[in-house]
Amino acid sequence: MSLETPVTEWAKPARTRSIRDDLLLGTPIVLVIAALGWRLAGPATSVGLALLGAIAIVLIARSRARRYDRRWLIAAIDAARRDAEDSSDLLFADPAALTSFQRLQRARVAARLAAEPAPDLYRARSHRMAIALWIVAAAAIAAIALWPDRNTPGGPLSPANEGAARPGIPALRAQRLTIVPPAYTGLPARALGTLDARVPAGSRLEWTLAFTPDPVAASLVVLDGTRTPLTRSSATWTATRIADRAFLYRVVAQGGQPVPPLHRIDMVVDQPPRIRLVSPAETLVQMSPGQRSWSLTFEASDDYGVQPVASLRIVVAQGEGENVRFSERIVPVRATGDPRRRIFATTIALGGAGFTEPGDLVAQLTVADARMPSPHRVVGPGVILRRPPASGAESGLEAMTRRTMPAYFSSQRQVIIDAEALLAERPRPAPDRFLARSNTIADDQRLLRMRYGQFMGEEVGGGATAAMPTSDAEDGTAPTADQHAGEPPTAAPQFGQDSAIVETYGHTHDESEAATLLDPGTRATLRQALDNMRQSETALRLSEPRRALPFAYKALRFIKQVQQATRIFLARTGSQLPPVDLARRLTGDRADMAARGLASTAAAPVDATASAIWAALDARNDAGGLDALARWLRANQARVPDPLALAAAIDTLRRDPACAACREKLRGTLWSALPRPAPGLTRRHAGDAIGRRYLDALP
């Protein structure tokens, strides 16, 4: 016997038996996992799990078999053969490195082992564990097969009512519609015995149908012409579709009924979350003296659930006029409560937020719902914490010129920010809403232009006006003779005195006591700022904020240059209210009041296509009218309360033009979908001759 024979021959059976025992223990576990995959995800997943489990068990068994190496073999030989005298390790040693006594002992051990057959060195495992595992696995597989599946409901098919069966013509005899909602809804799957359903958007619809007799082919035909073929599986036919929109469909079998009944699938659209401010009660809060923190609480609700983490946007605006500094940061806020109604509470440290000067701190919460992969994101209401400026002692002319209520104007920087925010808003607002917001920004630009225009001697309204605030005359009308009755008489203008002519026939604004005096350079710079403001306002009025931004930026740069001017003189004038004309007060004089009649509002024109078709539905030959109504419905689905019901009524009448009940049903459905004319003012009827004489005789 070769000395290497124990390694190659005696250890090989031990390795083989070890691998066999490991496979015997791991196989029932793999079978249970495969059965679970079959029930939860279908045959393909089950086969994949079985292959992965088998590969894992083989790798584990081979790894465990490596324990039976030379070291194990030496220990096993010494334990099994006493005549080896614990010297079997000499069989694998290098003879050149052994002493004479070791070589003698090695020869004696080799002769003894060769004289007798190879011993069984593998210690057999107990089969009790393997038997117990197989019994448990069999019970688990039986339970998985018999346990009702909640995620993919099955069960027997429900009978279908498709009319009397005719020999040789395929007819639908059993049906089941399985609805698997998206995972983010948290709703369980359900099986219906009908083919009409109302499902969440994105649900997976699974049809299981049975025909008698079986057709050659069958499909689901949507009313718009698209088809979903049915696949035959033993005695049933199946199909799958994702509910991305509401639709009407038929189950059409080849060689079956010519006009199967219509079925309807309605879709429940996921609504965006709603945010409500819980505390504070008001959106504008005045900061109290000594306040160091600010607590906010929001409530977010959604039909399926709100994500547990929201983002709070904190904007700090400090300063006055054009010298306003902005800082912004976003902090996460974790919610508590039920996923469908979460509470977001946080406390803002005012010092940590950098809110240390008079100004505003604005907080807005942004939440997202659980819809995947594109959740709805909603920005909540803005809450403002206002730190009022410190009130200082005022005296002299400063106290006289202080107004009772300050005027708030949007700064040029804010106009730019609003215009950029309007351009960056996604999705883009509707055209009418976009124009309204652009006009709002243009109004802010106009107010700011008039505010700076006063420093140049411009009128508040943008031009000279003859009507005084106490007059009821329309703008642009000539003043009456007694309008300046209370004013002191002025001397006649002298030849060559331009200022006297201006004082007589116009208004002066460059008086040293009533107007602003600017040096020529500063005055030119301010004029350029006003011109750019006017260009910006014009572009905003035309709903073109992108074209208005360059002019707005130029105006901002010129305003900054004016603010840095070396000399600016501002007149200190008190609050001047328009004088009350005591001669006209309580006299009832209405001579200069212009007639202000209410102009009639013309009603907006409406599309008369549907109305004309409704009126023509009494005719029998109206196939062209039905086609026109179908085209009108495709173009106006958003304006129709129930477009599927109207489409079904059109299809029913088209297939059976002689059905009077179908015609009346279509007319009734169309009547509820007709566009209502916009209300408008109409002139009252003048009446007959007797009525006019009666009205004329009234005092």
Side-chain angles (χ1 to χ4, degrees):
M1 181 189 75
S2 174
L3 296 184
E4 297 296 330
T5 300
V7 178
T8 57
E9 299 296 334
W10 291 7
K12 186 175 180 180
R15 294 174 181 173
T16 303
R17 293 174 64 183
S18 174
I19 294 175
R20 182 194 63 188
D21 291 344
D22 289 339
L23 294 178
L24 189 63
L25 291 174
T27 301
I29 300 175
V30 174
L31 293 177
V32 172
I33 295 175
L36 284 173
W38 183 288
R39 192 58 184 273
L40 296 177
T45 304
S46 175
V47 173
L49 291 175
L51 290 177
L52 290 177
I55 294 173
I57 290 177
V58 171
L59 293 178
I60 292 173
R62 288 174 60 88
S63 177
R64 288 171 56 86
R66 292 193 184 98
R67 298 178 302 172
Y68 301 100
D69 53 2
R70 178 179 297 181
R71 184 176 179 181
W72 168 85
L73 182 60
I74 293 172
I77 293 175
D78 290 339
R81 298 291 296 268
R82 293 181 177 273
D83 54 356
E85 298 178 352
D86 294 335
S87 300
S88 57
D89 57 332
L90 298 176
L91 300 175
F92 309 100
D94 185 7
L98 299 178
T99 62
S100 57
F101 179 75
Q102 288 175 336
R103 286 195 293 272
L104 177 62
Q105 181 67 11
R106 181 173 180 270
R108 293 174 58 190
V109 172
R112 293 172 184 175
L113 295 179
E116 296 184 6
D120 187 7
L121 302 179
Y122 180 73
R123 184 176 297 177
R125 303 177 189 177
S126 176
H127 294 290
R128 294 180 180 178
M129 181 178 293
I131 295 173
L133 279 177
W134 277 96
I135 293 174
V136 172
I141 293 173
I144 292 172
L146 299 177
W147 192 266
D149 194 351
R150 297 181 179 179
N151 293 327
T152 54
L157 302 181
S158 301
N161 185 14
E162 296 252 339
R166 289 178 290 179
I169 297 179
L172 184 63
R173 285 291 165 259
Q175 60 193 12
R176 183 177 69 237
L177 177 59
T178 303
I179 303 169
V180 184
Y184 72 87
T185 63
L187 300 176
R190 55 194 176 101
L192 302 178
T194 63
L195 299 183
D196 301 279
R198 184 177 176 86
V199 302
S203 298
R204 188 174 77 250
L205 305 179
E206 301 174 357
W207 287 269
T208 305
L209 309 173
F211 297 91
T212 304
D214 282 332
V216 177
S219 60
L220 304 176
V221 181
V222 183
L223 197 59
D224 60 5
T226 59
R227 288 176 174 265
T228 302
L230 289 165
T231 304
R232 185 172 183 177
S233 176
S234 65
T236 60
W237 296 73
T238 59
T240 303
R241 180 187 175 105
I242 300 299
D244 54 353
R245 59 183 176 87
F247 59 92
L248 297 169
Y249 72 100
R250 287 186 171 92
V251 180
V252 178
Q254 184 174 342
Q257 300 182 38
V259 185
L262 272 175
H263 302 284
R264 175 170 176 166
I265 299 295
D266 285 311
M267 189 176 63
V268 180
V269 180
D270 182 20
Q271 299 297 324
R274 297 166 295 279
I275 303 177
R276 183 176 67 89
L277 178 63
V278 178
S279 67
E282 303 293 338
T283 57
L284 178 59
V285 180
Q286 294 289 339
M287 183 176 174
S288 58
Q291 182 178 352
R292 296 185 178 180
S293 61
W294 190 30
S295 298
L296 298 173
T297 304
F298 298 89
E299 181 187 72
S301 58
D302 187 70
D303 44 4
Y304 296 124
V306 180
Q307 293 186 12
V309 179
S311 59
L312 183 67
R313 178 171 173 258
I314 302 175
V315 179
V316 178
Q318 298 179 112
E320 295 181 358
E322 295 297 334
N323 297 321
V324 178
R325 302 184 307 277
F326 292 91
S327 63
E328 178 181 343
R329 65 182 182 130
I330 297 177
V331 296
V333 182
R334 186 166 294 276
T336 58
D338 183 74
R340 297 192 177 186
R341 188 175 298 274
R342 295 188 183 273
I343 301 296
F344 295 88
T346 184
T347 300
I348 302 175
L350 302 181
F355 190 47
T356 57
E357 300 179 12
D360 293 341
L361 185 148
V362 184
Q364 277 186 310
L365 186 72
T366 302
V367 301
D369 60 5
R371 190 180 73 163
M372 292 299 172
S374 56
H376 289 118
R377 298 189 180 275
V378 177
V379 179
V383 192
I384 304 174
L385 177 64
R386 177 160 296 169
R387 181 195 292 269
S391 58
E394 297 177 350
S395 61
L397 294 178
E398 292 293 337
M400 294 174 58
T401 59
R402 183 166 183 82
R403 298 176 181 178
T404 57
M405 179 177 291
Y408 292 93
F409 295 90
S410 292
S411 64
Q412 186 65 26
R413 193 188 307 273
Q414 187 62 43
V415 170
I416 295 173
I417 292 174
D418 292 343
E420 290 177 343
L422 180 59
L423 289 173
E425 185 173 353
R426 292 291 184 274
R428 186 180 178 91
D432 54 344
R433 186 183 173 194
F434 188 87
L435 177 60
R437 292 182 58 184
S438 183
N439 276 329
T440 302
I441 303 174
D443 291 339
D444 294 340
Q445 182 68 89
R446 175 176 174 272
L447 292 175
L448 189 63
R449 178 175 58 83
M450 291 192 302
R451 178 190 181 189
Y452 284 97
Q454 294 178 7
F455 294 94
M456 296 291 294
E458 294 185 356
E459 293 286 349
V460 176
T465 176
M468 296 296 292
T470 56
S471 175
D472 292 327
E474 296 289 340
D475 291 346
T477 60
T480 59
D482 59 340
Q483 184 169 342
H484 297 283
E487 299 180 1
T490 57
Q494 299 179 6
F495 182 79
Q497 294 182 356
D498 297 337
S499 59
I501 297 177
V502 173
E503 291 176 358
T504 303
Y505 298 101
H507 295 274
T508 58
H509 299 281
D510 288 338
E511 297 177 1
S512 60
E513 296 296 330
T516 302
L517 301 180
L518 304 175
D519 62 279
T522 304
R523 191 178 184 85
T525 303
L526 186 56
R527 172 58 61 189
Q528 293 179 359
L530 294 177
D531 293 340
N532 282 277
M533 287 183 184
R534 187 175 290 104
Q535 294 291 338
S536 173
E537 178 188 349
T538 302
L540 290 170
R541 296 291 185 195
L542 297 176
S543 186
E544 296 179 358
R546 191 178 302 278
R547 190 165 64 89
L549 281 176
F551 299 105
Y553 275 108
K554 290 180 181 179
L556 178 61
R557 287 196 297 269
F558 289 131
I559 290 173
K560 286 298 182 182
Q561 295 178 15
V562 172
Q563 289 178 349
Q564 297 170 3
T566 56
R567 292 186 69 187
I568 295 179
F569 300 93
L570 300 179
R572 295 185 176 182
T573 59
S575 176
Q576 296 181 357
L577 298 177
V580 178
D581 188 359
L582 298 179
R584 297 177 58 250
R585 189 165 183 251
L586 301 179
T587 61
D589 184 9
R590 299 162 57 93
D592 57 350
M593 291 186 62
R596 297 183 181 180
L598 184 61
S600 61
T601 304
V606 298
D607 187 4
T609 303
S611 302
I613 295 174
W614 178 85
L617 278 176
D618 287 336
R620 295 297 180 183
N621 299 324
D622 54 358
L626 293 180
D627 294 338
L629 182 58
R631 291 192 297 270
W632 178 86
L633 177 60
R634 286 194 296 269
N636 300 272
Q637 284 190 2
R639 298 165 50 186
V640 178
D642 193 352
L644 293 184
L646 184 56
I650 295 172
D651 182 77
T652 303
L653 184 60
R654 179 182 284 120
R655 294 180 179 277
D656 189 4
C659 179
C662 302
R663 188 178 300 275
E664 291 301 323
K665 182 179 180 180
L666 175 58
R667 296 189 78 219
T669 307
L670 181 57
W671 175 260
S672 63
L674 290 179
R676 300 296 187 266
L681 298 178
T682 57
R683 184 177 295 276
R684 186 176 59 184
H685 189 265
D688 53 7
I690 298 176
R692 287 194 295 271
R693 286 200 302 270
Y694 172 76
L695 294 176
D696 293 339
L698 290 176

